[in-house]
Amino acid sequence: MVLMDGINGLFVTATGTEIGKTVVAGGIAASIKHAGINVGVMKPISTGDNSDAQFLKHAAQVDDPLNLINPICLQHPLAPSVSSRLDNETIDLSKIDTAYATLKSKYDFLIVEGVGGIAVPIKDDYLVAHLIRQLQMPILIVAHVGLGTINHTVLTVAFARQFNLRIVGIVLNSFNSHTVGLAEQTNPDEIERLTGIPIVGIVPYEKKLNNTNPDHDFMAAFFNKHIDFNKMKYNKRENKI
């Protein structure tokens, strides 16, 4: 398995919430682990609960404590800035820096999953995009495969480029068992044409992954089949959209 010309980390973001980025991030971690690479995972901020961090921990088969994988966990399933205000909490970004430095030094490859989409506010006017830029990580965008995804994906790519973020690919994910139609068949080529970013995977719905602790070997094989890791690279083409 060749990963992005020697890049040693990946930030997984999405075109919105409930798109399936946790499953995709976990599946990639499982595939990398299965290939014999020392991979770690991180969910810097979670809202509602830390189930995403638990899923990632299981996927990567690591023994790190959850408060290292997920240093900030807020009570309400809302944007972090809103959730923290409701509980009169202050988000301490230094906790993320400390946890990230610890995990980065421990693992050869680190997968970091964001919270919601790329423009979600974390603290005041500090967005997920600012966090990605601070961590200096390349990003993988997870989008849904069906109708409406062209608009959401093109906007996400354009926003990422405003922050000069390195985009290595797009994964189109089916997070339910709906019937594949013309939109699903034609969206990948159109998104590649408009953005110049490769579609590195089209992930079908798989009910075996719809639980908190899916079989690790199955998950690794499933994502290794449906994601082309060799296509993940930074494409310098800039379209005027």
Side-chain angles (χ1 to χ4, degrees), residues 42-230:
M42 184 179 184
K43 175 84 175 182
I45 302 174
S46 63
T47 60
D49 57 43
N50 62 5
S51 59
D52 288 355
Q54 294 180 49
F55 185 93
L56 294 175
K57 179 176 180 176
H58 169 76
Q61 300 283 283
V62 295
D63 59 3
D64 300 308
L66 280 175
N67 63 0
L68 178 61
I69 296 173
N70 178 208
I72 298 176
C73 183
L74 301 170
Q75 178 181 351
H76 304 283
L78 304 167
S81 61
V82 178
S83 183
S84 62
R85 282 199 300 269
L86 288 176
D87 283 338
N88 199 27
E89 291 186 34
T90 299
I91 293 178
D92 184 359
L93 296 175
S94 67
K95 290 183 178 180
I96 296 176
D97 292 334
T98 300
Y100 177 74
T102 299
L103 292 169
K104 189 176 180 182
S105 67
K106 181 177 180 181
Y107 295 101
D108 297 326
F109 197 93
L110 184 62
I111 294 175
V112 180
E113 184 201 344
V115 55
I118 198 172
V120 166
I122 293 174
K123 179 181 181 180
D124 300 323
D125 295 327
Y126 184 90
L127 312 179
V128 170
H130 290 102
L131 175 62
I132 299 170
R133 189 167 64 185
Q134 178 180 325
L135 298 179
Q136 297 183 334
M137 300 188 76
I139 66 172
L140 178 70
I141 297 171
V142 180
H144 74 90
V145 72
L147 190 64
T149 198
I150 293 175
N151 180 64
H152 298 155
T153 307
V154 169
L155 287 174
T156 299
V157 169
F159 192 80
R161 283 175 169 157
Q162 288 183 32
F163 283 79
N164 294 315
L165 302 180
R166 301 175 63 190
I167 309 169
V168 299
I170 298 167
V171 170
L172 297 179
N173 183 52
S174 299
F175 49 86
N176 57 45
S177 56
H178 69 281
T179 303
V180 174
L182 279 175
E184 289 78 8
Q185 295 171 27
T186 57
N187 282 340
D189 287 345
E190 195 69 356
I191 289 171
E192 282 194 340
R193 183 182 72 82
L194 289 169
T195 65
I197 304 298
I199 303 296
V200 300
I202 301 175
V203 180
Y205 174 74
E206 174 50 67
K207 64 180 180 180
K208 291 181 181 179
L209 299 176
N210 194 23
N211 64 75
T212 55
N213 295 294
D215 181 82
H216 183 266
D217 290 339
F218 175 83
M219 181 163 52
F222 180 83
F223 278 90
N224 201 45
K225 176 181 178 181
H226 293 291
I227 292 182
D228 186 348
F229 292 92
N230 294 321

Side-chain angles (χ1 to χ4, degrees), residues 8-21:
N8 61 1
L10 186 65
F11 193 106
V12 180
T13 188
T15 57
T17 192
E18 300 298 329
I19 302 295
K21 68 180 179 298

